[in-house]
Amino acid sequence: MALPYLEELRAIVGDAGLVTDRAGRLAYESDALSLEKQLPELVVLPLDTAQASAVMRVLSKHGVPIVPRGAGTGLAGGATPVAGGVSLSTARMREILEIDPVGRTARVQAGVVNAELTRRAAPHDLFYAPDPSSQAACTLGGNVANNSGGPHCFKHGATTRHVLGMIVVDADGEVIDLSHQGPDPDGFDLIGLIVGSEGMFGLVTEVTLKLVPIPDATETILAVFPSLDSACDTVTEAIARRLEPSAIEILDELTIDAVERSVFAAGYPREAKAVLLLECEGSAAEVEATSADLTELCQEHGCLEIRTARDDADRRRLWAGRKGAFGAMGRIAPDLYVADVVAPRTRLREIVRIATDICHERGLKVSNVFHAGDGNLHPNISYDRRDTDEVRRVLEAGELIMRACIERGGSLTGEHGVGLEKQEHMCHLFDESDLDAMRRAREALDPDLRMNPGKMIPIRGCREMRTPEPMPQGDDR
Amino acid sequence: MTVPPEVLGDALSRDGIETLREGRLVIACPRSERQIKALLTRAGRDGLRVVPAGLLSKISGLRPEVMEGDVDLVLSLRNLSKVIDFVPGDGTLTAQAGCIWSDLGRTVRESGLQLPTDMPLPSRTTLGGALASGMSGPDRLRRGPLRHHVLGAHVILSDGTRAKSGGRLVKNVTGFDLHRLYTGSRGTLCVLIEASLRLFPTPEETCALTRPCADAAEAFQLAEDLRRRHVDPLSVTIEGGARDPWRLHVVLVGRQVELPSALARASEVLGDAERIEGADAHNLRAELRDRVCHGGAWAQLRLSGPPARTHLAHAMLARFLGNDPLWRVVAQPGVASLEVFAPTLAAHTVADQIALLNDLRATLTDSGHRLEPIALPGATHLGLAADLAGDPARRWMRNLQRRYDPLGRFTCPSYPGRAPTLGATS
Ligand SMILES: Cc1cc2nc3c(=O)[nH]c(=O)nc-3n(C[C@H](O)[C@H](O)[C@H](O)COP(=O)(O)OP(=O)(O)OC[C@H]3O[C@@H](n4cnc5c(N)ncnc54)[C@H](O)[C@@H]3O)c2cc1C
């Protein structure tokens, strides 16, 4: 491989910090959205901010595009390499630099795995609240870039509410130190802008995160429903009654079946059409009162059975089923398209039904497991990528689901990000001037557009995209 | 370019735009998006420096005496005051920027909901002003700052284009969170015309514990003990000063069933504290919310830094301001913020203020703290800000400012650490 910058990079990160051979690079050709693939020219794995900065200066000199990469669990193609570009991985930046139990903060390198932070904070009676289902693998840097959520974000909020500071290296290798932020930003809220920016402003190398005290009491409830509709209605009503559990998740029949047939089997009743997984946390009295309210509400909505986790082990088992649900879907078909859309919480039932109908009309198998309390739906379509017609139907269904959500006041993505997958759909939600405002931020912070180029913001203008392309000659559609 | 205010005021009135005068400041109060665009077009044509505002109650940069000479036109959004969408079942509210905070509070209260923060001086604050100033109330200790609860915004950029970001949903990651960038940007990037907020359920009960402390050190120690015991109050406030005794106030909210245990835990730490309940507790909560403005005046300085070290910042501050017989502090230790009232400082010359604050800042920086001038003259803000001009984060901010407002139409004398060389590329 004759890359003009290779030896300069080797001098910075050494052989251990480079993946040059084709077989090694193949592991980086996509993230968890395996429909999009591109082999990176090179993978560079710096150890810390200083190395990242030096690497990025070299890449800047050579005008090379950079794609930041955490664990590659992203589902929107955000970490998919770009042609002629380098993947900059945080896989070797795995140190928890400091845990301050009094200040309740943690300072970590971007490559630290989400669940590891909670494990290390536990002896201080603290935990890190955002808990994506992928938390055993995904990195905190990836969480920051995607503003990731998780079941407990219903109470605690998504990643953006937990980031207190960070260090970012821009495309030219300049280190932007935002780690000493007070309660309010010093000047513009750059942190608020960077969280969720999908690696398009720079490489986040360090993050200071808020930790949350482990609650005195926790109760996990599994409510069994005779229909998905009644489970959705229960959630809508829980929000309207202003009940405040810490998590409200729905799993439907097909998901339950897949989970129960997998290693994640949690004891969900197989005859259920849907279950609600609810968690309450706080003081013992608060938990007891909120659980009683939720139980009553579930019963009012025709719930067939309520189970409460007996102990910690039981509770962990119930959550393992939820968090392992995507993995368990492998039992339904070899491939899974995880749609990620948002609905206003007053319209959950309606939008879940529409999504189901869209899939069934196309002969597709759809299952639902989602963060119902936040209106964040995941209609998951199981398919086989070798069947090109099925792939076409899956993508069509995905687009129609997105449009249906938007028409009803919803949004394109609740937590997985836009990446490559939804880039072209941005015009359904935003118009050209909205996107232009986003481009301004991008051009201000990365004028050469070398950070994760070709992601999120559509390359073609919205007007151009809305104009139907002429039918190709001979096309018989 | 400075246009004589009377000429500008007359011209705007002729265009049908309601215009007010405060000293030499012209305050235009457009009634529509079209009028805002017309104003920005005029500003571009005549080289006017514009600052978007609400009722001019909030940040120091927008106080008339600070703005004079630095601003040609104040663009007040007070006439854009419609609630656009309130969905109680979804816990969201979308309103125009000129809505008064306390009016919005009343709108949502009937549905058992409340706004995301106890905004100081809510009847003198517009939604747009609250967002642009980036302020939050003491309840941020439990709920987080206002900026965490802004779901989306519509703005008008300096060239007159309207742009939106985010939406009206409690969870949404579509596109950059530009509304977060605009929140706290003090009108230097765009005119905020509409925003959506997440609402919170009104707590069933509110009560407070309040007690005198021998000195600031005791008050800070108690606040830290509360934190160590994982008491989860809505707010913790410490106040006191050269002439005022030191007091600690802890406000607790929650369900009826839950409060007794929270109170018991807090009381164990605080010992002999006075317990305040019912309407009195609500009143105290409102008073603490407004403490940032003392006797009608804003604090001269704000200090912030790591929560665990607020007491250190206070100790250093005391050494610096010990000679000021009127100095006074309102601190929210859990969120590491200290509002400092030092009226004698305000009486110094600008040069002396800059010298003193630079010294103080150098000391504070060592303990990870930051000092922000608030109610001090624009020249003091600029004198201090210039020091930070080389910081790469400032460069990012200036680049953002240049991309959003290439002609430099929007201005806020103190913000965001504007370098004297604004306009030059860095
Ligand atoms: C089984 C499964 C379950 C999932 N469950 C959830 C869930 O519950 N909630 C949820 O929100 N997501 C979920 N996801 C999606 C995914 O795990 C998250 O988006 C996660 O945050 C990605 O982290 P990562 O380290 O894998 O990042 P990657 O996939 O490697 O990258 C994601 C994006 O972040 C950028 N990036 C990564 N690191 C950095 C950095 N240091 N600096 C700047 N940019 C960076 C990349 O360029 C890319 O755009 C799930 C995925 C899977 C496969």
Side-chain angles (χ1 to χ4, degrees):
Chain A
M1 194 193 333
L3 296 173
Y5 44 85
L6 182 62
E7 292 316 314
E8 278 179 86
L9 296 181
R10 200 188 304 279
I12 298 165
V13 294
D15 285 335
L18 294 176
V19 179
T20 53
D21 62 308
R22 187 180 155 77
R25 284 181 291 134
L26 270 176
Y28 294 84
E29 69 174 351
S30 78
D31 58 13
L33 179 78
S34 53
L35 287 170
E36 301 279 356
K37 289 197 165 104
Q38 170 68 49
L39 196 64
E41 293 289 314
L42 179 71
V43 181
V44 186
L45 303 102
L47 275 176
D48 54 22
T49 303
Q51 281 197 0
S53 164
V55 165
M56 289 166 89
R57 276 183 207 282
V58 170
L59 296 174
S60 167
K61 200 169 67 186
H62 293 269
V64 182
I66 299 167
V67 178
R69 185 180 180 98
T73 66
L75 286 158
T80 307
V82 296
V86 159
S87 280
L88 198 52
S89 164
T90 57
R92 293 203 304 161
M93 300 171 72
R94 294 239 159 155
E95 230 179 292
I96 294 182
L97 302 165
E98 186 186 352
I99 290 185
D100 171 359
V102 181
R104 294 185 201 152
T105 60
R107 200 162 57 83
V108 302
Q109 283 194 305
V112 169
V113 168
N114 174 300
E116 176 65 8
L117 178 57
T118 281
R119 200 181 63 75
R120 291 275 298 277
H124 306 287
D125 278 341
L126 298 168
F127 72 107
Y128 178 61
D131 56 341
S133 303
S134 52
Q135 70 185 136
C138 66
T139 65
L140 291 162
N143 294 174
V144 167
N146 279 357
N147 189 11
S148 300
H152 290 83
C153 293
F154 175 69
K155 171 172 176 166
H156 297 282
T159 303
T160 191
R161 279 163 64 179
H162 299 266
V163 180
L164 302 172
M166 60 168 71
I167 296 179
V168 195
V169 184
D170 78 6
D172 295 330
E174 176 124 54
V175 177
I176 319 290
D177 187 348
L178 304 170
S179 58
H180 296 293
Q181 299 287 301
D184 290 314
D186 185 9
F188 294 156
D189 182 10
L190 295 177
I191 290 178
L193 179 64
I194 293 164
V195 177
S197 64
E198 304 191 17
M200 294 170 75
F201 293 140
L203 180 80
V204 176
T205 54
E206 264 182 51
V207 201
T208 306
L209 296 162
K210 183 171 119 183
L211 298 173
V212 179
I214 294 176
D216 287 351
T218 305
E219 190 156 290
T220 308
I221 299 169
L222 187 77
V224 181
F225 283 88
S227 71
L228 186 53
D229 280 354
S230 52
C232 288
D233 289 346
T234 308
V235 174
T236 297
E237 185 58 23
I239 308 294
R241 288 193 196 173
R242 302 177 299 281
L243 297 178
E244 291 185 287
S246 53
I248 310 186
E249 301 283 304
I250 287 184
L251 292 83
D252 74 357
E253 188 180 13
L254 205 55
T255 310
I256 294 169
D257 183 59
V259 169
E260 288 308 309
R261 287 194 289 132
S262 75
V263 289
F264 306 107
Y268 301 150
R270 286 184 121 146
E271 65 285 4
K273 296 289 180 207
V275 293
L276 259 183
L277 190 56
L278 303 156
E279 193 152 272
C280 306
E281 53 178 57
S283 66
E286 182 187 3
V287 166
E288 194 183 325
T290 308
S291 302
D293 289 346
L294 287 168
T295 303
E296 194 183 313
L297 176 72
C298 289
Q299 278 157 351
E300 281 172 29
H301 282 80
C303 150
L304 302 171
E305 186 192 346
I306 299 263
R307 290 186 198 168
T308 304
R310 288 179 305 276
D311 50 29
D312 242 22
D314 201 18
R315 180 177 160 253
R316 272 200 297 273
R317 207 159 64 101
L318 286 175
W319 279 111
R322 162 63 186 91
K323 298 205 169 169
F326 290 151
M329 305 285 185
R331 310 214 140 243
I332 303 174
D335 297 291
L336 185 69
Y337 174 88
V338 183
D340 164 47
V341 286
V342 194
R345 297 178 294 180
T346 45
R347 305 184 81 165
L348 276 186
R349 173 226 279 244
E350 178 190 354
I351 296 183
V352 169
R353 266 196 184 200
I354 291 172
T356 308
D357 290 348
I358 287 171
C359 292
H360 288 171
E361 279 159 18
R362 282 160 187 77
L364 298 169
K365 260 194 184 153
V366 63
S367 52
N368 288 283
V369 46
F370 59 100
H371 312 302
D374 286 321
N376 186 185
L377 313 184
H378 294 318
N380 301 310
I381 312 174
S382 298
Y383 70 102
D384 184 341
R385 84 174 80 161
R386 291 165 302 187
D387 180 343
T388 48
D389 185 60
E390 197 177 28
V391 171
R392 181 190 62 76
R393 282 178 284 133
V394 169
L395 294 176
E396 183 181 75
E399 172 161 2
L400 290 173
I401 293 169
M402 272 184 262
R403 282 177 181 247
C405 272
I406 291 168
E407 279 160 19
R408 285 156 187 81
S411 185
L412 281 182
T413 163
E415 57 181 19
H416 296 167
V418 175
L420 282 174
E421 187 208 2
K422 293 184 174 166
Q423 186 186 33
E424 299 260 305
H425 304 300
M426 288 285 273
C427 293
H428 299 323
L429 193 63
F430 296 114
D431 60 31
E432 202 49 46
S433 58
D434 306 331
L435 296 174
D436 187 55
M438 293 183 201
R439 285 188 194 104
R440 290 185 198 216
R442 175 108 162 92
E443 288 157 7
L445 306 189
D446 176 20
D448 299 333
L449 308 184
R450 282 192 303 105
M451 289 306 306
N452 216 358
K455 308 280 171 72
M456 188 201 281
I457 304 175
I459 296 159
R460 289 190 293 152
C462 288
R463 201 171 305 140
E464 197 186 331
M465 282 210 258
R466 283 184 191 125
T467 314
E469 283 181 13
M471 291 280 189
Q473 288 288 312
D475 193 322
D476 60 359
R477 275 178 295 174
Chain B
M1 184 186 109
T2 309
V3 182
E6 26 323 306
V7 175
L8 179 59
D10 288 350
L12 297 181
S13 301
R14 275 199 304 279
D15 288 350
I17 296 172
E18 185 191 332
T19 310
L20 312 170
R21 286 278 299 279
E22 208 166 312
R24 294 194 55 76
L25 277 182
V26 179
I27 304 172
C29 309
R31 295 195 172 276
S32 65
E33 203 178 310
R34 194 181 51 74
Q35 287 193 338
I36 297 175
K37 289 181 181 174
L39 279 165
L40 291 176
T41 306
R42 174 183 286 277
R45 197 183 58 218
D46 297 348
L48 303 176
R49 291 158 305 169
V50 179
V51 61
L55 301 179
L56 296 181
S57 73
K58 272 281 169 285
I59 47 173
S60 60
L62 297 191
R63 285 178 310 115
E65 67 272 26
V66 175
M67 283 190 285
E68 263 186 34
D70 223 337
V71 171
D72 300 306
L73 178 65
V74 177
L75 200 161
S76 165
L77 278 286
R78 65 186 74 187
N79 285 333
L80 270 77
S81 54
K82 275 202 225 69
V83 172
I84 293 167
D85 192 22
F86 168 40
V87 192
D90 208 14
T92 59
L93 171 80
T94 301
Q96 285 188 315
C99 289
I100 306 286
W101 193 266
S102 53
D103 292 346
L104 292 176
R106 272 190 291 278
T107 303
V108 304
R109 192 175 309 146
E110 282 166 19
S111 303
L113 293 165
Q114 59 182 31
L115 297 172
T117 192
D118 282 349
M119 181 56 60
L121 310 178
S123 59
R124 286 164 52 195
T125 302
T126 58
L127 171 62
L131 292 176
S133 72
M135 277 190 89
S136 303
D139 57 341
R140 61 185 299 165
L141 176 63
R142 179 149 166 169
R143 301 223 173 95
L146 174 60
R147 65 179 187 277
H148 286 177
H149 308 299
V150 185
L151 308 174
H154 287 240
V155 301
I156 298 189
L157 300 171
S158 64
D159 59 8
T161 24
R162 180 185 171 119
K164 69 168 180 294
S165 65
R168 300 178 184 179
L169 299 153
V170 295
K171 194 172 181 193
N172 184 11
V173 297
T174 315
F176 297 144
D177 277 357
L178 294 180
H179 40 288
R180 284 287 300 269
L181 175 67
Y182 305 145
T183 302
S185 69
R186 305 196 189 175
T188 57
L189 295 174
C190 57
V191 182
L192 264 164
I193 57 167
E194 179 185 316
S196 301
L197 300 177
R198 168 199 277 270
L199 304 171
F200 284 86
T202 311
E204 277 175 18
E205 293 280 320
T206 300
C207 66
L209 292 170
T210 169
R211 59 158 283 177
C213 298
D215 50 22
E218 187 192 16
F220 280 106
Q221 184 59 53
L222 287 169
E224 190 180 317
D225 292 347
L226 283 171
R227 204 175 161 77
R228 282 182 195 275
R229 287 292 313 274
H230 291 182
V231 177
D232 184 22
L234 184 75
S235 67
V236 175
T237 306
I238 292 170
E239 56 178 342
R243 291 190 179 162
D244 303 318
W246 289 91
R247 276 200 93 79
L248 172 73
H249 311 278
V250 179
V251 178
L252 296 151
V253 295
R255 301 188 62 153
Q256 225 165 12
V257 288
E258 163 198 2
L259 266 195
S261 64
L263 267 169
R265 193 188 284 201
S267 301
E268 266 172 41
V269 176
L270 298 183
D272 215 5
E274 182 189 351
R275 187 159 148 177
I276 300 174
E277 290 175 16
D280 290 343
H282 283 283
N283 290 342
L284 177 65
R285 182 173 159 185
E287 281 168 28
L288 294 172
R289 173 197 72 200
D290 292 345
R291 285 283 209 272
V292 286
C293 193
H294 183 62
W298 290 94
Q300 275 73 35
L301 303 173
R302 180 176 301 136
L303 264 58
S304 53
R309 289 191 226 145
T310 313
H311 62 288
L312 292 179
H314 171 264
M316 278 179 245
L317 188 75
R319 279 209 298 280
F320 266 85
L321 297 179
N323 296 333
D324 186 337
L326 297 174
W327 85 285
R328 183 184 148 71
V329 158
V330 176
Q332 289 156 22
V335 290
S337 157
L338 274 166
E339 305 280 329
V340 185
F341 297 85
T344 314
L345 178 66
H348 286 326
T349 63
V350 164
D352 284 352
Q353 285 176 9
I354 294 174
L356 183 91
L357 295 181
N358 273 336
D359 282 352
L360 178 57
R361 191 161 67 177
T363 322
L364 286 167
T365 308
D366 290 343
S367 71
H369 283 85
R370 200 172 77 216
L371 176 150
E372 187 192 357
I374 306 177
L376 290 171
T380 305
H381 288 243
L382 282 179
L384 285 173
D387 278 358
L388 297 174
D391 176 358
R394 301 277 148 185
R395 184 177 57 81
W396 266 24
M397 291 179 208
R398 287 197 300 278
N399 288 349
L400 283 162
Q401 234 171 353
R402 259 192 299 274
R403 281 302 290 136
Y404 280 87
D405 181 20
L407 298 177
R409 235 170 264 177
F410 296 127
T411 179
C412 175
S414 61
Y415 208 68
R418 191 178 62 176
T421 50
L422 182 73
T425 316
S426 59

